[in-house]
Amino acid sequence: MTIEEIRPALEAIVGAAHVLSSPDGPRLVVRPGTTDEVSGCLAFANRHSIPVVTLGGLTGLVRGTELFGNVVGISTERLNGVLDFDPLRRQVTVGAGIKLEEVHRFAERHDLRYGVNFGARGSCSIGGNIATNAGGNSVLRFGMTRANIAGLEAVLADGRVLSDLGGLVKNNTGYDLKQLFIGSEGSLGIITKAVLKLSRPSVDTASVLLALDSLDDALAVMSVLELKCGVSLLAMEIMWNRYFKTAGALALRGSPLPLADHHPLYILAQVEGAGNGPSAEDLVLGALEGIDFIPDSALASSQAQQEAFWSIRDGSEYIEASHPTVLSFDVSMRPQDYSTYVAGVEDALSRRLPEAISYYFGHLADGNVHFMIAHDNSIDHADEIIEACVYETLSVYWPSSVSAEHGIGLEKAEHLWRSRSEEEIAVMNAVRKTFDPNGILNPHIQYRSRLD
Amino acid sequence: MTIEEIRPALEAIVGAAHVLSSPDGPRLVVRPGTTDEVSGCLAFANRHSIPVVTLGGLTGLVRGTELFGNVVGISTERLNGVLDFDPLRRQVTVGAGIKLEEVHRFAERHDLRYGVNFGARGSCSIGGNIATNAGGNSVLRFGMTRANIAGLEAVLADGRVLSDLGGLVKNNTGYDLKQLFIGSEGSLGIITKAVLKLSRPSVDTASVLLALDSLDDALAVMSVLELKCGVSLLAMEIMWNRYFKTAGALALRGSPLPLADHHPLYILAQVEGAGNGPSAEDLVLGALEGIDFIPDSALASSQAQQEAFWSIRDGSEYIEASHPTVLSFDVSMRPQDYSTYVAGVEDALSRRLPEAISYYFGHLADGNVHFMIAHDNSIDHADEIIEACVYETLSVYWPSSVSAEHGIGLEKAEHLWRSRSEEEIAVMNAVRKTFDPNGILNPHIQYRSRLD
């Protein structure tokens, strides 16, 4: 079907005001306002084998929502309300288009907290969070998005609605189908509603920045903090020297860094107070007492001090802006493999692209290293060389993942086989075919094996 | 194929010593010792469309593992070792046949804890726990089995092995297929290995038994304990008067009950100390301070006292033994619906089977009421009448589940439609068909819609 034939059919479903032309090219974006309208759009698309892509907050990092060819975008932005709230069970039911930050605000107004949190909170949608199983800074405490979902409604490719919005803690009546949609990047259906788990908020928090001489020392500190602080530990991040120095100088705009910038590694940990027990500051100081291999440390208790510490950790965008080209990676492995892995990447880069400048940082306990490798565009194929250094080195490690948090999208498809077996990829595709026999849902995202 | 033809083929795969005849009837039980042998058995069964049923500890409560007809049982009992242990990540990899209690012991030896716990721990297998997504007394703190699984290996119907044993916290590379197997009751494959999450153990615990006048009061206490104790709260159980009185007298063998037995309701809560903060006793007493509607309460700090309290809660077997026939139920709903639901069941029973004696108890915060309804076999169709009273009353409530913890098995199949929509059931069957096109895996367990 041509765009000219598709448009009136979609207008009949969602209203003419909600079928928009994308500025470049002949693409359409539809903005359904109800689950029924999503269902109508998909049933129509499925009948005519029209490819669709689901659009959330468009903050993804792996090009999972690109529009091209005759694909129709289905935006969830109008499915954005708070639909129900159960204070006793601490669950809120929302439309998939609601922004993460609005959920945070809603929870705060009810003296509660939603545990998923990361930089894009102001623009990313809950539906997108779920479709990519988003992570973030508090995975250590609250888990990935998966662990924060109590219910889901999704529309299948043929327009059928799968609804599991009861939010029951216990419901062992067959397969937990919502788990499939979490992390499926829109390939199994369009998520329209979700029930989110809320929890009691922090009474007080403290952040501590520690300098360390080696990764072994960092892991030893991690173990102590995990065992002594338990669930009071909200986050535990790691920054290698160059990242700390560079992001710190840029984020703090020349103000002195909280610690000298010559240490090999830095840990930034955040702890919350127990409410009915010790304060966050007492907890973290108590946990660190007696550790004699931390050359330098700084404690932040006030909100402003903590924000300054965290602006260093969140300062990757400044580094990105300071180089002509920066490639970002999002790999995971066992924390105990960090050390040799990073050394391996450094070694490969020094041999194959000595001009590259790499910045390593990440979520220490989650085994998730984000890193950015910059080059100045003077070398041919620099991107390919860098990717090879990162992924070929990674593939030596088991377990490891080419995408810890961000998903597959267009970017990681060619590397999927490094993290999933041929059997897994075959089953994924068989499941996908079961849900979407005509292949209309985000068809550009492909789960390819090495042989494909 | 006849049993005489099947036996030598299976013997060739697992060895003659591990193909057993079941005492009654012409059935075979195979005991593979490796994943490869499981794979061989399934590939053979699949080629010849021989139905199989997976056998774990045989402690299920919904007749999910009955052997009948020409079905071949595949027992996981020899897949029972501890295969790997990662103290840094606090993960242990085990064979599916290992007993839950052995995992507890292993964790204790390493000063850690595995959070799933319930009465059948000495006989049930981890594979069965996973296949039924087992719950138990600490779901409030540790979640269902699903929340405690970091990795899984399963053999598909055609013998292919799906392996996801890396235990990565973050791995957003497509569908999390292991989630499908959790709670699938053997219908998608045979679980052969699992990676379990361990956590730091309790430093100290305390249990408190509270008498209450109404369910509204019980819910108010629940909210206070949840908000004030947070993750320190390990369990919060509820017992109605008749259950408390009867199970208490039987479990304590005539020793005086910790509280007078005339109160309408009892809550039994267990709290753990923060380790680096207040003791369990201080935590729970502090949380309850100022609540002026608890007519009576008793605190147990010592292990022996706590065991006495818990023997009442765990005393259902004594009640079962004291009646000719006892039907057990395992339903869930919103905790705020308990009150009218239980009244509704009582009302229906009083009209339709006044001779029945019902005992209500359950996991308060999980919304999971277990109850037992006894009759003396003097009324025709008493079982059917009781089932109708329980399930017809339940179906008025949304959300609700006919099987909170135990699964579907043979027992709940006819009631599945009360808890899952036709769309859900259709998708479950489509997924099942994708995994097991010849329908060989636990074919007696059927996900039927109301129309079937």
Side-chain angles (χ1 to χ4, degrees), chain A residues 88-166:
Chain A
L88 185 74
R89 298 195 293 165
R90 292 182 296 283
Q91 292 180 345
V92 61
T93 306
V94 297
I98 196 170
K99 304 287 178 234
L100 175 57
E101 196 168 62
E102 288 173 55
V103 173
H104 288 163
R105 277 200 225 109
F106 179 88
E108 275 161 32
R109 280 201 299 279
H110 293 86
D111 206 20
L112 292 167
R113 152 174 58 176
Y114 178 59
V116 178
N117 196 6
F118 48 89
R121 70 186 72 84
S123 352
C124 67
S125 71
I126 287 293
N129 289 186
I130 297 169
T132 58
N133 188 27
N137 290 337
S138 301
V139 170
L140 177 58
R141 170 67 183 85
F142 293 102
M144 304 288 278
T145 293
R146 182 180 307 279
N148 295 275
I149 301 301
L152 213 62
E153 179 189 85
V155 181
L156 301 182
D158 60 9
R160 278 182 300 165
V161 179
L162 268 191
S163 184
D164 175 12
L165 294 170

Side-chain angles (χ1 to χ4, degrees), chain A residues 249-294:
Chain A
L250 293 167
L252 299 182
R253 293 160 205 278
S255 299
L257 292 175
L259 295 180
D261 67 4
H262 59 79
H263 299 285
L265 288 164
Y266 299 84
I267 284 182
L268 176 57
Q270 190 174 39
V271 169
E272 62 182 353
N276 45 10
S279 70
E281 195 174 320
D282 287 349
L283 265 177
V284 71
L285 292 178
L288 292 172
E289 208 173 80
I291 303 182
D292 58 4
F293 52 82
I294 299 176

